[in-house]
């Protein structure tokens, strides 16, 4: 590089972090309707930053849900075009009492920036805006064509973006989709994700009597919605952690020795994970390592279960209703609708006597996979190597970014997932944070990539 | 009777109901510390009514929890002494959205008074105060000696009253303890309870990792506190509703043919119960009728279960903790401490891999039983017969009033449980109410009883 971007970013570091904190302070929780105004504010904030960075055609598109922000710079004639995707919405924050500092009062401690959205995905997306701004400011032009497409509904499975993408294929067409919403393997060990799990989610309710009942007057003689619920939910797994739903594993690819070898390369330290999470034991399907379970096996997780009295003290009540929220992570060729159907059939067949089931399917998305030999991915690995001094490993990610598969297939472009988070940064949990080492190196890696492609 | 009490109570009906509504409007929820002031106000309210009624030595005794109110009238020389026990505290009100009118805005609809505490126990206790007041106003003196002992902690298992009773045995000594905190069998079918189930309660928490985790990054590879909880809780019962805890049934008396005959006399209509509760099926231990299950069998009920995300929308989280609140109703010679120990041992033995159990025992009380041939109980049946036109049946109640066993054994006096509620009055549930037919007849029945003993 003729320009010393390391010096540039060091010089602007404090200003950049203060800007990012401003954005993180906006509670743009897409799942909660009371935050609709905050989500809109977060969209306006990033739109104004795209303009400041020197991008053109900065537009905020209203949808039935939260807005989509687009912008572009298309003056690098004969050069490829990158579509940078990211999201400015964040997960809910409960349980709030477990946060050491409030989720929307960003705080830097021990070289980490703590806030909801710090790593997922405001912090990572912010890197791209500042990398583009740096090159435009220092060199007056970009070495590639850039399009931004930023949404506010990723955490609720992108209900409106697919329609927008279908209707604006020509506008969004690109040689690759560039996304930073995943993680390094560990500090100093960069990774490029070549696979994302699919997803389907659902809510269920069990009703028993038409009223809560007194456990003295009725206890032992009537169905209890909570007993029915724990019995029904317990039937979803066997005691080894395998999902007991018939047909659940249809479309799952058994691991080949080559795939197992690829996973083994990560040299994942399960003992360290146990220590970090303060767990006596890991838990999951027998016969698979942790990285295999998360990278190549589907899972059915209870995200929330509730019913009856939750207040202080006791209440001798037989609850009339109980609720559960469930998500599945899917792999390979699992069809999310088929999985939802299989679970619904299982739940219906196992609903205990005296209880009535209501089943509501919600989001669904296919898994995504890409061949790591694609040149756009190889160049991403080069960029990492030039900055981190270590070539990125190609990994399979356990998470789901449903829109990746949609963007890639609709635009017929490879998805390049350069993640700058770390696996233990508590995304979706209390005390989410972003390690500033990767904030600094991320900026440089993106600049490097834009110059390499 | 020389005085026409029917006419008297008709004449004062509106005023009495307005007074009771005033009391019901005070949210004296003993389980919730933010209502401590309300509980104290409810104590003061009833103390002032005891004074107005003409009772003497009206006193409010502070305790470590909520106050105890006492009063007496001891001028009926040579006549027996009744200790009237009742409670002015009420259950919590959630789920609030299921109430048709707010729980602390008493409302009369279709001859029923709706409010938290309407039947349990403010409404029933109020009858005694007004019955005593009526006789004193109309006749200038009572035909018996009366003591009142009213507490504000019944709904939290009376943690302070036993100590007060032990320390004030002489002051409280009586020929019988009179309590209205139970139910008729059905409209027009009075009952005197000769048995109450004992109780023990507990809270448990399961912890897995030291943080909530993202189900994408970790799902399938780490323990989920909710999976562990539903599996653990499901292990407490077999699929026929019998408690699976070893030793749980120790001390339970198997039903004799005579006892079964006594239960059969109630001619309980299970089909009507199903219809009233809109249940497809009742549920409980095989081989027992509903009245047997509730009257003579113990039960273990989940009163509350919660963990993870409960908000609107979805959250792909693996919860780090899950909670459950449990109460058991006990019968015959079951020892509440032994039952708690047995459950704790079961839970420890069945806690799934990767989860850590915290077990907190809470309340405990023995079951209570009395022989129905006692003259004080026979006279209560006479009083019912004179007012309702039907002799009261002697029943076993499924509920627990732990203090009854303590009062009766400490004071060496029979407990006379004349209930004026109805089994479907939603005590401990939304839309609690008190049928005003039993408000009217209850006043007359108490006057009758005071004259008969």
């Amino acid at each position: 590089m003729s320009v010393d971007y390391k010096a540039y970013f060091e010089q602007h570091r404090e200003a950049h972090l203060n800007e990012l904190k401003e954005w993180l302070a906006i509670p743009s929780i897409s799942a909660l309707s009371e935050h609709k105004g905050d989500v809109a504010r977060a969209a306006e904030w990033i739109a104004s930053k795209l303009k400041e960075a020197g991008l053109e055609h900065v537009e905020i598109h209203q949808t039935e849900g939260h807005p989509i922000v687009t912008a572009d710079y298309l003056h690098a004639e004969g050069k490829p075009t990158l579509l940078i995707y990211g999201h400015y919405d964040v997960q809910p924050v409960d349980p709030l009492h477990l946060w050491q500092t409030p989720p929307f009062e960003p705080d830097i401690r021990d070289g980490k920036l703590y806030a909801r959205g710090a790593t997922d995905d405001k912090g990572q997306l912010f890197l791209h805006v500042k990398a583009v701004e740096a090159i435009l400011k220092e060199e007056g032009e970009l070495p590639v064509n850039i399009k931004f497409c930023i949404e506010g509904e990723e955490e609720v499975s992108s209900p409106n973006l697919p329609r927008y993408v279908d209707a604006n294929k020509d506008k969004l067409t690109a040689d690759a989709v560039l996304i930073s919403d995943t993680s390094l393997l560990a500090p100093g060990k960069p990774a490029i994700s070549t696979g994302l799990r699919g997803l389907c989610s659902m809510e269920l309710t069990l009703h028993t009597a038409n009223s809560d009942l007194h456990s003295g007057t009725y206890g032992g003689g009537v169905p209890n919605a909570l007993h029915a619920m724990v019995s029904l939910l317990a039937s979803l797994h066997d005691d080894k952690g395998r999902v007991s739903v018939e047909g659940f594993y249809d479309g799952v690819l058994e691991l080949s020795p080559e795939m197992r070898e690829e996973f083994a390369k990560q040299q994942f330290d399960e003992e360290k994970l146990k220590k970090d999470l303060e767990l006596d034991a890991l838990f999951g399907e027998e016969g698979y390592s942790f990285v295999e379970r998360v990278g190549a096996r589907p899972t059915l997780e209870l995200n929330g279960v509730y019913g009856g009295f939750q207040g202080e003290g006791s209440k001798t009540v037989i609850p009339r209703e109980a609720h559960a929220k469930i998500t599945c992570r899917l792999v390979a060729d699992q069809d999310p609708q088929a999985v939802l159907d299989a679970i619904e059939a299982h739940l219906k067949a196992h609903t205990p006597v005296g209880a009535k089931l209501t089943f509501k399917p919600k989001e669904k998305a296919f898994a995504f996979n890409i061949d790591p030999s694609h040149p756009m991915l190889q160049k991403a690995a080069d960029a990492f190597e030039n900055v981190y001094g270590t070539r990125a490993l190609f990994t399979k990610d356990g998470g789901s970014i449903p829109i990746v598969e949609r963007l890639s297939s609709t635009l017929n472009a490879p998805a390049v997932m350069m993640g700058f988070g770390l696996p233990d940064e508590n995304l979706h949990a209390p005390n989410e944070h972003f390690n500033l080492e990767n904030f600094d190196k991320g900026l440089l890696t993106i600049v490097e990539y834009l110059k390499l492609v």
Side-chain angles (χ1 to χ4, degrees), chain A residues 25-220:
Chain A
I26 305 173
S28 51
I29 304 171
S30 50
L32 303 179
S33 49
E34 69 261 33
H35 285 287
K36 196 170 168 63
D38 297 317
V39 182
R41 271 202 300 140
E44 282 154 22
W45 191 96
I46 192 63
S48 77
K49 292 296 160 185
L50 288 165
K51 266 182 216 159
E52 279 176 39
L55 285 145
E56 299 169 355
H57 306 113
V58 177
E59 291 169 6
I60 298 180
H61 308 276
Q62 300 306 322
T63 72
E64 281 175 26
H66 303 300
I68 294 162
V69 181
T70 59
D72 62 41
Y73 172 96
L74 303 173
H75 304 296
E77 220 173 308
K79 293 297 187 93
T81 301
L82 295 177
L83 175 69
I84 298 173
Y85 164 85
H87 65 93
Y88 62 85
D89 63 322
V90 301
Q91 279 279 318
V93 295
D94 36 3
L96 193 57
H97 69 281
L98 295 177
W99 286 78
Q100 282 172 37
T101 50
F104 298 110
E105 295 176 20
D107 186 45
I108 294 176
R109 302 192 293 277
D110 300 329
K112 294 164 190 167
L113 172 55
Y114 285 83
R116 171 57 87 226
T119 187
D120 179 17
D121 177 49
K122 284 175 177 167
Q124 295 205 50
L125 174 56
F126 184 74
L127 300 178
H128 290 274
V129 180
K130 291 297 149 183
V132 166
E133 180 179 72
I135 305 178
L136 280 172
K137 277 197 180 161
E138 295 297 291
E139 307 191 33
E141 57 178 10
L142 294 182
V144 284
N145 297 297
I146 294 283
K147 296 174 179 178
F148 274 92
C149 178
I150 301 171
E151 69 161 324
E153 303 190 302
E154 196 273 344
E155 299 296 1
V156 292
S157 283
S158 310
N160 290 294
L161 188 57
R163 203 174 314 144
Y164 177 82
V165 174
D166 287 345
N168 294 276
K169 258 193 227 182
D170 292 345
K171 182 181 160 177
L172 298 173
T173 188
D175 297 292
V177 182
L178 177 58
I179 302 161
S180 294
D181 197 16
T182 50
S183 306
L184 284 81
L185 276 176
K189 291 179 73 179
I192 294 165
S193 178
T194 61
L196 292 168
R197 287 198 283 190
L199 181 142
C200 63
S201 66
M202 65 219 80
E203 289 181 16
L204 56 127
T205 303
L206 288 180
H207 282 99
T208 47
N210 53 7
S211 172
D212 280 358
L213 297 171
H214 188 296
S215 79
T217 317
Y218 295 96

